[in-house]
Amino acid sequence: RRYGRKVHSAFWQYDPSPQPAGNKKLGYGNGWVVLGIVVRLPFAEHEICLPLLARLKSKGTKERPARNDSGHVAEMLGLVQAQFPGRRFLVRVDGAFKVATIHSRSTDVVTRASSDAALYEPPPPRPPAGQRKQGRPKVYGERLGSFEELAADTRYPWEPVFDEAGELLRFVKRIPCRRKATKGIALACALVWNAADLRKSERKRKPYSIALLCTDASMSAQEVQAAYAGRWSVENCFRDVKHVTGVGRQRSRVPKSVKRAVPFGLLTHSLILTWFAIAVDHEQELALHNQSRPWHEKHSLSTTDAIARLRFEIIATCFSAHQAATPPTEKPQRTTRPALRGDTLRAIAALAAA
């Protein structure tokens, strides 16, 4: 959030962060579209998102309309795909992005479907060459019902999902479909019904918990749900970036400063975690933490531990370099202000009294 009339590209926009009661989820400030890579690092038990690129939102003008969020994502994806031409990407976004803009031959998208999404069955198979009618083949089949009706449809059975201990976690259901908003791309719709929702009363119970869409029609419902669940690492990344690394605390106003400060902070956050994953002994670091703080036993490390370790290494390196540059026969010079002695204090008191 930023305040002031002279802040570059600051305007009222949607703010998903926690708000006081009665607030309409609006905030004044700069908005960013961030592209990150979700990876598994050896020091963490869960997936971690490393920010790569960021684009600043703008209001635009009549002569030059602003690019929407999906256009920013497509642009940044093009830059990444140019560096890795033979790799296929799976993009996890929320429901505010347009799937048709992001999807490409080397990119699949997993997103949350809106509750009123219009879905269609896949088109029927084409008849033999001699029995075909004039015109192009059908792209869409019959219109599917709402998600509440699909949840009760017996043509698509529910599949239970259990954890390692055998406890029921959720039910999932896979529905092959098409959607006009995605320009007829073959989709895999996954309905998820969490076990926690099953324990609610019948009045509060919903027929499903969440509806997901994936442009990779070969994925199962459980794979689609697991892919979208990894998007939570993005929210954890934004929390660490704001409250641990300190990105966004700078008071920049001019265009160049606004456009450079946040991307530089995001890249610094990724470099710190990458360095911590490669150059640090995680088992020793975890053992030292638990030994020095027995009241707070940890089973994995976090971003806070990575920044604390980096701060320690920087301080140790500076002191080591200073000691190495000082000859052993000479007494090292003071780098701090010497303490005031008694005669100096008496002289200052005399001057003050005079």
Side-chain angles (χ1 to χ4, degrees):
R1 290 190 174 189
R2 297 300 314 279
Y3 300 96
R5 294 179 298 175
K6 296 184 179 180
V7 179
H8 175 69
S9 191
F11 55 94
W12 288 99
Q13 52 191 310
Y14 175 72
D15 186 5
S17 59
Q19 304 289 339
N23 199 313
K24 296 183 179 180
K25 294 280 187 181
L26 291 177
Y28 184 85
N30 298 123
W32 293 87
V33 181
V34 182
L35 178 67
I37 178 173
V38 179
V39 297
R40 281 196 173 272
L41 298 180
F43 64 86
E45 295 180 347
H46 52 80
E47 295 179 333
I48 293 180
C49 177
L50 301 178
L52 294 180
L53 299 171
R55 292 293 181 269
L56 179 64
K57 297 181 182 180
S58 60
K59 295 182 68 175
T61 59
K62 293 183 179 179
E63 295 78 12
R64 189 177 181 180
R67 178 177 293 176
N68 56 18
D69 298 351
S70 303
H72 285 304
V73 174
E75 177 196 356
M76 293 185 289
L77 274 175
L79 297 176
V80 176
Q81 290 171 352
Q83 300 296 326
F84 305 94
R87 180 166 297 189
R88 191 167 187 83
F89 298 90
L90 179 62
V91 183
R92 310 169 185 180
V93 297
D94 56 16
F97 293 86
K98 296 181 179 179
V99 176
T101 306
I102 305 174
H103 177 264
S104 64
R105 293 183 178 180
S106 60
T107 305
D108 288 317
V109 184
V110 177
T111 182
R112 180 173 182 172
S114 58
S115 58
D116 58 347
L119 303 182
Y120 296 83
E121 293 182 353
R126 298 186 64 183
Q131 302 177 7
R132 296 177 184 174
K133 298 181 180 180
Q134 293 182 353
R136 68 167 189 171
K138 290 185 176 181
V139 182
Y140 308 97
E142 297 295 331
R143 170 72 183 271
L144 294 173
S146 62
F147 289 122
E148 289 79 4
E149 296 174 354
L150 292 176
D153 196 338
T154 57
R155 294 180 300 171
Y156 312 104
W158 289 101
E159 301 176 6
V161 179
F162 302 92
D163 60 3
E164 298 179 356
E167 184 178 356
L168 178 64
L169 295 178
R170 65 188 65 89
F171 289 94
V172 294
K173 175 186 290 193
R174 181 182 181 277
I175 305 170
C177 60
R178 300 287 179 95
R179 191 182 180 190
K180 291 184 177 181
T182 58
K183 300 180 181 180
I185 302 173
L187 301 174
C189 176
L191 292 183
V192 182
W193 201 6
N194 294 325
D197 295 336
L198 297 175
R199 304 187 187 99
K200 297 181 180 180
S201 61
E202 295 184 0
R203 185 174 60 88
K204 297 182 179 181
R205 186 186 307 170
K206 296 182 179 180
Y208 71 98
S209 301
I210 187 175
L212 306 174
L213 293 176
C214 180
T215 57
D216 187 358
S218 62
M219 294 180 64
S220 63
Q222 186 174 353
E223 293 174 342
V224 174
Q225 185 274 331
Y228 187 80
R231 205 187 69 85
W232 186 248
S233 61
V234 180
E235 306 299 335
N236 292 333
C237 173
F238 290 155
R239 179 200 60 192
D240 294 339
V241 161
K242 291 180 181 179
H243 303 292
V244 180
T245 311
V247 177
R249 297 180 183 176
Q250 64 281 350
R251 294 294 173 240
S252 53
R253 295 179 179 271
V254 296
K256 287 187 177 180
S257 179
V258 171
K259 293 178 180 179
R260 294 174 179 176
V262 170
F264 179 79
L266 295 174
L267 185 59
T268 303
H269 178 82
S270 299
L271 291 176
I272 292 174
L273 295 181
T274 304
W275 165 83
F276 188 73
I278 296 176
V280 177
D281 187 353
H282 310 123
E283 295 182 359
Q284 181 180 2
E285 188 74 15
L286 188 60
L288 290 174
H289 179 278
N290 294 334
Q291 182 179 1
S292 60
R293 303 174 182 85
W295 61 87
H296 183 208
E297 184 179 359
K298 300 181 67 173
H299 301 284
S300 63
L301 302 174
S302 62
T303 305
T304 307
D305 300 316
I307 293 180
R309 184 63 183 180
L310 177 63
R311 187 182 296 114
F312 175 82
E313 292 292 338
I314 291 175
I315 295 175
T317 303
C318 293
F319 276 97
S320 301
H322 175 73
Q323 294 177 359
T326 305
T329 57
E330 299 181 4
K331 185 177 180 180
Q333 298 180 358
R334 289 180 178 268
T335 57
T336 59
R337 185 177 180 180
L340 296 177
R341 298 184 178 181
D343 52 354
T344 307
L345 292 175
R346 286 191 292 270
I348 293 176
L351 291 175

